[in-house]
Amino acid sequence: EDQVTQSPEALRLQEGESSSLNCSYTVSGLRGLFWYRQDPGKGPEFLFTLYSAGEEKEKERLKATLTKKESFLHITAPKPEDSATYLCAVQAVETSGSRLTFGEGTQLTVNP
Amino acid sequence: DAGITQSPRHKVTETGTPVTLRCHQTENHRYMYWYRQDPGHGLRLIHYSYGVKDTDKGEVSDGYSVSRSKTEDFLLTLESATSSQTSVYFCAISESYEGDTQYFGPGTRLTVL
């Protein structure tokens, strides 16, 4: 069974204090790993897709990396507007229906 | 933003009543999905569609049915709502099947009393 575990559950940072969020996964074969951002009362907003170990992608203050067992979302010099819940999801090679298996998310709060 | 709308955005209903949620997309994507989001479980796939009139079950499909008569619309029906179906429901779309990004709608908050 595919599993995704995100840590920490919640993270409080001061503005400018860099940190990383972790996504550990177990799948029979990885087709893709996805990062989303979700604001309260809204749908998940796509950030990145990673397909193979060693791959990295960047967008503004965010950088996602992938190994064979986990992914990290690095946040450099965060701002209060980066406060949100960050979701990680995997799609396995043998999954029917193109299903994404999601973690429960990391709730990030950035204080000014 | 992907052109996805969901209606209604909020609904309160009583146990045993039928409920239909609608997802409408303007992207002409082939694949559409219904997920539910619950504390402690994250997002879970209910049903998905891979074309007009082509649908299949997801991880938590019991008590739900779907229909897709047009590319742009995907309906989720709770034939007889139960309190365990109180949740936030999200529609998602993707262009292709394998490894393609799924884009999510704004969600519908459903409360079953």
Side-chain angles (χ1 to χ4, degrees):
Chain A
E1 182 179 329
D2 304 333
Q3 287 191 328
V4 177
T5 303
Q6 292 188 245
S7 61
E9 291 185 10
L11 180 64
R12 285 186 175 273
L13 300 174
Q14 289 299 122
E15 184 172 2
E17 179 186 3
S18 302
S19 188
S20 297
L21 312 182
N22 177 263
C23 171
S24 297
Y25 64 90
T26 304
V27 293
S28 54
L30 183 69
R31 176 172 285 152
L33 185 141
F34 303 81
W35 281 99
Y36 290 86
R37 168 194 171 127
Q38 186 173 26
D39 294 299
K42 297 191 175 181
E45 175 188 346
F46 170 70
L47 293 173
F48 303 108
T49 307
L50 302 167
Y51 293 105
S52 57
E55 190 175 0
E56 299 182 351
K57 289 195 177 172
E58 284 188 71
K59 179 181 178 181
E60 296 181 353
R61 295 177 293 281
L62 301 176
K63 179 180 177 180
T65 62
L66 180 65
T67 72
K68 289 186 177 181
K69 294 184 177 181
E70 57 191 350
S71 176
F72 291 94
L73 185 65
H74 306 279
I75 303 176
T76 301
K79 298 182 177 181
E81 54 261 41
D82 294 322
S83 297
T85 296
Y86 290 84
L87 303 173
C88 172
V90 297
Q91 188 181 81
V93 170
E94 296 180 2
T95 298
S96 64
S98 193
R99 182 180 78 223
L100 296 178
T101 298
F102 280 85
E104 294 188 41
T106 293
Q107 186 174 359
L108 174 66
T109 303
V110 182
N111 296 314
Chain B
D1 291 342
I4 309 169
T5 56
Q6 293 185 232
S7 59
R9 294 294 314 279
H10 302 271
K11 186 171 183 66
V12 179
T13 191
E14 294 190 350
T15 298
T17 59
V19 176
T20 296
L21 309 183
R22 180 182 184 237
C23 176
H24 178 79
Q25 59 140 332
T26 58
E27 305 295 324
N28 201 36
H29 283 2
R30 179 179 174 185
Y31 296 88
M32 298 185 75
Y33 313 82
W34 277 108
Y35 288 85
R36 60 179 289 175
Q37 187 174 37
D38 306 288
H41 291 279
L43 282 148
R44 293 177 291 173
L45 182 67
I46 305 171
H47 280 282
Y48 67 99
S49 170
Y50 47 96
V52 173
K53 298 187 179 178
D54 292 323
T55 65
D56 206 345
K57 296 179 180 180
E59 181 184 0
V60 289
S61 59
D62 288 348
Y64 302 95
S65 63
V66 290
S67 65
R68 192 170 177 198
S69 59
K70 298 185 291 185
T71 298
E72 58 265 35
D73 290 326
F74 192 31
L75 303 180
L76 176 71
T77 297
L78 291 66
E79 300 289 349
S80 178
T82 68
S83 58
S84 63
Q85 293 176 312
T86 292
S87 186
V88 182
Y89 291 86
F90 290 100
C91 174
I93 65 173
S94 68
E95 273 193 278
S96 66
Y97 180 87
E98 296 182 356
D100 200 19
T101 298
Q102 295 181 20
Y103 296 94
F104 286 79
T108 294
R109 181 173 294 276
L110 176 67
T111 302
V112 183
L113 302 175

